[in-house]
Amino acid sequence: MQNEIFQYTILPDALSQRLYHYRLKAFRIGRILAKAEENPQSYIHLFRVNYILRGKAMLILDDQAFSVCSGHAVIIPPRGILTQADPKAEVEAYFINFDVSNLTLRDEFLTRLQMGFPFYQVHDNDRKILLYFFEQIFNEASQCDLGSCLTVQNLLCSLLIKMVRLAGEGEAVFNVQPTAVNSTHYLISRAVSYIYQHIGDPVSVKAVADNLNISEIYLYKLFKEHTQKSPQTFILEYRMHLACEYLSNPEYSMKTIAQQLGFASADYFSASFHQYAGCSPSAYRQKQIHANLAPSTKVPEPLGQ
């Protein structure tokens, strides 16, 4: 019998190249049941992808609302909020919070997402492929077995690729017409949007309130209600979240990081970071570098032990 061999050359395509360069990083994965008057998403500085298991949700983006039905998966940009379409009804959903580790391409990722919206609200088909991905990611994250972190990252990329493929096959929702909303949900979304867009400026609570044409006291009440934090704390924690990402990349100087995050000087940034994290930015960077190098200095253990 003659031997046969089947082989294929794997050529890089545009989507795979972009996902690789974006370096997507999953932060939190879960399943949520949202009851009346509860906001099912409060991690509004991260990207999210949701799959609605039951009920009808509403995605609020700035001052517009988009309907998201059961069996739909949707990618939500940072400032977007997912809540119940009917405050008296429950919504059950899987969620994955993720971010773009390559900060130089973060804005590009957000721009491409906005250009495609609601392109990335996708119908699941009869085979429930998207639901399968969410269940696998959820199970992998809950078990924390050897290699779970890498498996979750790979499954997340596979999920996003499948969503794009299904959209290309006509499963995307193109006919959703946004409707204007007038609620505290849309106000907090607009506030977060303003903070996100001006994080490189010395943004103040007064500037955010003035942009929304509301008082600082009312803005404080909104943030306490929807994020359980004051506006000042939210802005600081968002800056510190980005600072940790910048510090993980040795190419960024302290001066550059301070400028990118709206601090008046590198010294002011350093003092703020030390007060927040309990160590200097330089010490944090050294810890990150050591953590990244540590595995390569150890003798690898046999798999399975």
Side-chain angles (χ1 to χ4, degrees):
M1 181 177 178
Q2 185 178 1
N3 290 334
E4 292 182 345
I5 183 169
F6 299 92
Q7 58 184 359
Y8 303 90
T9 301
I10 307 299
L11 299 176
D13 61 89
L15 177 59
S16 298
Q17 286 179 323
R18 297 319 294 165
L19 290 178
Y20 172 78
H21 287 299
Y22 289 142
R23 294 200 297 270
L24 305 183
K25 180 180 179 182
F27 276 87
R28 185 165 298 180
I29 295 149
R31 187 170 178 169
I32 191 167
L33 178 64
K35 298 180 180 179
E37 303 303 326
E38 290 184 358
N39 178 12
Q41 296 293 348
S42 59
Y43 304 99
I44 43 187
H45 65 284
L46 297 172
F47 295 92
R48 277 147 292 148
V49 54
N50 283 79
Y51 184 93
I52 308 303
L53 292 163
R54 178 168 57 88
K56 187 175 182 180
M58 181 171 62
L59 169 60
I60 298 178
L61 196 60
D62 298 336
D63 59 348
Q64 293 182 319
F66 300 85
S67 177
V68 186
C69 301
S70 176
H72 287 201
V74 60
I75 299 177
I76 305 175
R79 86 180 186 276
I81 294 175
L82 188 75
T83 187
Q84 310 96 289
D86 180 358
K88 298 180 180 179
E90 293 181 338
V91 174
E92 188 174 8
Y94 279 117
F95 69 89
I96 303 172
N97 296 327
F98 69 97
D99 210 348
V100 179
S101 295
N102 190 333
L103 293 175
T104 59
L105 293 179
R106 180 183 171 88
D107 289 340
E108 180 199 315
F109 185 84
L110 182 60
T111 300
R112 286 175 178 256
L113 193 62
Q114 289 175 322
M115 289 173 59
F117 191 84
F119 178 85
Y120 292 103
Q121 183 181 165
V122 183
H123 290 291
D124 207 350
N125 57 23
D126 294 335
R127 291 174 292 168
K128 304 296 182 185
I129 294 176
L130 299 183
L131 177 58
Y132 171 79
F133 274 118
F134 274 94
E135 289 176 339
Q136 291 301 307
I137 293 172
F138 181 81
N139 291 335
E140 192 67 43
S142 64
Q143 293 174 4
C144 294
D145 289 336
L146 185 66
S148 287
C149 179
L150 182 59
T151 300
V152 166
Q153 307 305 328
N154 289 334
L155 285 171
L156 171 61
C157 286
S158 297
L159 169 65
L160 296 179
I161 290 170
K162 190 59 185 178
M163 290 178 68
V164 173
R165 287 182 177 181
L166 287 175
E169 296 169 4
E171 296 296 332
V173 179
F174 290 103
N175 59 352
V176 173
Q177 295 298 320
T179 58
V181 291
N182 185 16
S183 69
T184 58
H185 286 98
Y186 102 86
L187 281 175
I188 196 69
S189 178
R190 285 181 58 194
V192 172
S193 177
Y194 183 87
I195 293 170
Y196 179 87
Q197 294 172 10
H198 295 83
I199 200 64
D201 304 324
V203 59
S204 65
V205 175
K206 184 179 185 304
V208 179
D210 289 345
N211 180 261
L212 299 180
N213 198 28
I214 61 176
S215 69
E216 293 181 54
I217 295 176
Y218 186 48
L219 181 67
Y220 181 89
K221 179 182 177 181
L222 283 176
F223 269 84
K224 277 294 186 179
E225 177 183 351
H226 291 282
T227 71
Q228 291 75 55
K229 302 170 185 175
S230 68
Q232 298 94 327
T233 300
F234 182 88
I235 294 171
L236 175 62
E237 289 187 355
Y238 183 34
R239 281 197 167 112
M240 293 300 102
H241 167 80
L242 293 178
C244 290
E245 292 296 318
Y246 277 116
L247 289 169
S248 299
N249 189 336
E251 295 180 3
Y252 294 104
S253 67
M254 298 300 168
K255 181 179 179 181
T256 298
I257 296 175
Q259 291 174 342
Q260 291 292 322
L261 299 181
F263 288 94
S265 67
D267 289 340
Y268 182 38
F269 162 66
S270 181
S272 299
F273 188 88
H274 192 285
Q275 183 177 8
Y276 175 81
C279 64
S280 68
S282 299
Y284 179 87
R285 171 168 281 174
Q286 289 301 316
K287 289 180 182 178
Q288 292 298 108
I289 293 175
H290 178 73
N292 292 335
L293 293 178
S296 62
T297 62
K298 298 179 181 179
V299 177
E301 298 178 356
L303 290 177
Q305 293 187 4

